Amino acid sequence: MPSYKIASLCLAASALSCSAFSPTTLSTRSLAQFTSPLSTSTSTSTTSHKRIISRNVAVSPSSDMLTGITREDQNYFDEMSLKRENEKKNEMKIDMTGVVLSGMKGKALTWEHNDFPRAKEIKDVLPKNSFRPETKKSLGYLSVSTIGTAICTAFGISMLRFFNPSNLLTLPFWTLYSLGTGTVAMGLWVLGHECGHGAFSTNKKLQDTVGYIIHSIMLVPYYSWQRSHAVHHMYCNDVDLGETHVPELEEEGSLVGRKWLMDTFGRKAGIRMWGGLQGFLHLLIGWPAYLLIGATGGKGRGMTNHFLPNPLTKPKYPKKELFPGNWKKKVLKSDIGVAAVVCALVGWGLRNGLSQVMALYGGPLIVVNAWLVIYTWLQHTDTDVPHFSQSEHSFVKGALHTIDRPYDKMDPFGFVDFLHHKIGSTHVAHHFDSSIPHYKALAATNAIIKNFPEMYLYDPTPIRLALWRVCKGCTAITKRGDRWIWNNEGVEDLL
């Protein structure tokens, strides 16, 4: 067993031991994980090449599971298990060939269409004050992110006399500066994102002004992205009309590319090379490619450009065009802000040199973009989280296939999660209703966990390990029954 798995088991055992002495140490989220029906609902065949997972099928306990079990007890449980399986003949079964389980243990693959609650049922359990932003509080968080970014920038400017960015020997320093400043500035992006959702203020003029400025500074057309991101929320995990991180189908060639690397350089080295390539393409190139050519966007809308009101290619579904009607004018209005920032950057570069622009602005912006992709990619992607065809998709399905992750554990103090306003650790609630401000999202998340623990996805895998698994294993999807799953047949042991 790999050392990181042994360490994880030790940590889990330690946490459970501590919880026995302190009832407050086990959070609501942890309870949802330990009491999930998945622990008694998954039946996996180890003798057959094809593995089948079935929802809510009883599992017979063994002597390893219960101390002192008798032969009669074992026979009883076997009989009850067989009886229940016979009673549920018509229940959904998923062919698990090539499916790699994440820390969610295939939970999303156990759900049936009738398991999903109605939107009103979820909304009714959320705190009643969840949906109204408080302008003063939002401005307070904006000041935290603005002041933090300004302090980092002032520090960078003061270092110019010691570390001339035109000298390549100073690259390590400016790389560290970019990592720090970009991580802090990501908080501004999160707040700009809330403006686009109407979750920043009840004053629409103030909200759009703040959102427009933040997006323009980060070279993102505000209204264009407001529209495309709303589409992403509406069609999350829809393989036809989804927007951002829509998977490739297995016949599109990426699986062939991964296999070629493994055949050429060896299985372990090849899949690591594939993971590294995917990480580079997504984190460094992915965001600009999405804005310019709609990379990873839904194919049903054709190739899109966020700076142009019309699609670059003829859409498969013309009535589902990304920027319909009045949105075309808003796209052009957004371009003005980005153009103004580009002109300012050109003037700055002509006066002080491109190296200074890249050191103080370009590097941190690349880091902000990388954080953005990490969040959006991991919020909706993992090796055991399915996608749906248009005919099988619904808004609630998409929202509940969103994944919350332990960003609060990325550092000992939860500082990164604080700086980023908990965008990754409360994202299920956000995807259900994006009008919930980030400072009310934790209460909404706890309400969902309490009332719908079986329908809540949380992966405890550390972020870096989850990202690496997704880079290697989320390559292309194949159709299984009424859903699409990630096909990793033959490489399960490498993920």
Side-chain angles (χ1 to χ4, degrees), residues 164-332:
N164 186 343
S166 62
N167 186 339
L168 286 177
L169 295 178
T170 65
L171 184 61
F173 170 80
W174 291 111
T175 299
L176 291 175
Y177 167 80
S178 295
L179 289 171
T181 304
T183 297
V184 174
M186 180 61 195
L188 287 172
W189 171 265
V190 174
L191 297 174
H193 153 263
E194 290 207 333
C195 291
H197 280 302
F200 185 84
S201 173
T202 54
N203 185 328
K204 191 175 184 302
K205 187 174 182 179
L206 170 65
Q207 181 171 257
D208 284 341
T209 299
V210 171
Y212 190 92
I213 291 172
I214 292 176
H215 281 73
S216 297
I217 288 174
M218 297 188 180
L219 302 182
V220 178
Y222 174 63
Y223 293 110
S224 306
W225 190 76
Q226 182 184 52
R227 161 64 182 170
S228 67
H229 193 60
V231 170
H232 157 69
H233 273 250
M234 181 62 67
Y235 295 101
C236 183
N237 284 47
D238 184 322
V239 297
D240 299 309
L241 294 173
E243 190 66 21
T244 73
H245 301 294
V246 178
E248 284 190 19
L249 305 184
E250 61 181 347
E251 60 265 24
E252 293 183 58
S254 286
L255 286 177
V256 175
R258 185 175 70 176
K259 184 177 184 302
W260 181 84
L261 285 175
M262 294 171 65
D263 291 342
T264 304
F265 299 99
R267 294 180 75 245
K268 287 187 177 179
I271 202 165
R272 287 172 180 168
M273 293 173 68
W274 178 260
L277 175 63
Q278 292 305 305
F280 171 80
L281 292 174
H282 279 77
L283 302 188
L284 296 182
I285 299 176
W287 179 241
Y290 171 66
L291 293 178
L292 293 173
I293 60 172
T296 78
K299 299 174 180 62
R301 296 184 179 82
M303 184 181 293
T304 59
N305 181 303
H306 278 64
F307 301 94
L308 300 175
N310 295 309
L312 301 177
T313 61
K314 185 177 179 179
K316 180 180 178 181
Y317 304 106
K319 292 184 179 180
K320 298 291 185 180
E321 187 179 346
L322 189 57
F323 304 121
N326 291 333
W327 283 102
K328 296 184 185 298
K329 292 181 180 179
K330 289 188 173 185
V331 170
L332 299 176

Side-chain angles (χ1 to χ4, degrees), residues 346-364:
V346 170
W348 180 11
L350 290 174
R351 180 178 179 182
N352 293 352
L354 177 63
S355 60
Q356 186 181 112
V357 176
M358 287 303 300
L360 293 175
Y361 175 83

